Each structure stands twice: as C-alpha cells, then as structure tokens.
Amino acid sequence: MLVKLTGYKKSPKHVGLLQLQEHFKATKSVEAFFKKKFENNFDSYVIPAYREPFQDSGRAKGGLAQFSSKYLKIKKERIKTKSWRIQAQVLHIEEYKILWFNCYMPTDPQIILYDEVELLPILDEIENILDNNSFDDCILAGDLNFDERRRSGFAGCLRDLLQRIGLKSVWEKFPPDYT
C-alpha cells in the first residue's frame, strides 16, 4: 500500500504512508534496522516476525512495518494487538483520525469447508480494535490473501467481516491478477 497525502511542502511524488508485510526479521533490533535505513524521510513502526514457541531456527513468519513520512508531521498512536498478524495505529491529522491496519492474513486454501480456527481470532482482534478506539475513518490493508471472486470459506469469512464493519474492498473495482 502506498498512499499520497496532501498538506506538506514536499514533491507531489513523495509517498506519505507505506506498509510492508513479510520482512522475516525476528529480532527485537529490527525496528532499529528500519529506522537507520529510513531515518531521513520516515518514522517507522515495526513488529518483528514471529517464531512458534521453542522454534530457534528457520525462517520466522510474517513481520510487519508501517512507515509515515516525517514531512506529514502527524501524531501517531500505536495500538497494542494480540496477534502477530495485525499491526495498527491511529494517525492524527489535525482533528481527523484514521485507524490504519497492516495485516498479514493466512493463505486461502480455496476450499469451501474451511477450518476457521486460525482466521477467526484475527478477525475478532480487528473488530475489537475497531470497537475500542476512536477514529473517523479506517484503512485495512496488507497481505489479505483475499479475492472477492473466490467462493471459498476463507473468502466468505473476509466478506462477512467487511460487511459487518462497513468496509469496501478496492478489489471489487480493480480485480487482482494474483493474491
């Protein structure tokens, strides 16, 4: 996701918000790494990738990062989440507040009889954050592994969530080639 926001005196080509999924770095120092690489232009909020308990080696799963342009001069309020698959913060732009989610959803197995045991706690956490925070608008973006055209159990769960919380998928207008 790249978002261009107005209200700053930088080039119109300057990116305001940027998010990343799957950086795979599991160390606590990963935020320092991103701060160093993007220090001149962006403030970073980074969640390390996740390893199962007692997993000491091998590639970690996920890893999320949200970057906001320093030129925007907006207040950012981090929201604690229970899931390593969700990152959220409220962006305060003067009196206007945007709840910004960065999500890394499980893969859609593209079957009708979908076991929701991994997905439902993630969706519940998203709804909990929505219910317990103050904001004017919401952006839910990330690696959602969601294709509106699919008739799978996974896609049905995400469609139900979007309907319950009142969000529209941009993919309804711009169908993805691959997700």
Side-chain angles (χ1 to χ4, degrees), residues 15-34:
V15 172
L17 303 174
L18 170 77
Q19 66 183 42
L20 170 69
Q21 305 83 37
E22 295 187 282
H23 59 65
F24 303 125
K25 297 274 188 188
T27 65
K28 298 240 186 247
S29 64
V30 70
E31 185 152 17
F33 170 81
F34 280 108

Side-chain angles (χ1 to χ4, degrees), residues 80-141:
K80 290 190 184 249
T81 63
K82 297 176 187 173
S83 175
W84 60 270
R85 291 182 172 276
I86 302 171
Q87 180 180 40
Q89 57 184 323
V90 176
L91 306 176
H92 298 257
I93 304 168
E94 296 177 6
E95 301 299 315
Y96 182 73
K97 296 186 280 186
I98 300 173
L99 175 56
W100 179 23
F101 284 99
N102 185 14
C103 299
Y104 175 54
M105 294 292 184
T107 303
D108 181 354
Q110 300 184 40
I111 58 175
I112 298 291
L113 297 174
Y114 173 67
D115 184 357
E116 303 154 338
V117 71
E118 185 180 14
L119 183 61
L120 289 182
I122 299 165
L123 303 183
D124 288 344
E125 178 71 1
I126 290 169
E127 288 191 84
N128 182 49
I129 292 168
L130 288 165
D131 290 343
N132 292 299
N133 289 280
S134 173
F135 57 93
D136 299 303
D137 281 309
C138 175
I139 299 171
L140 176 73

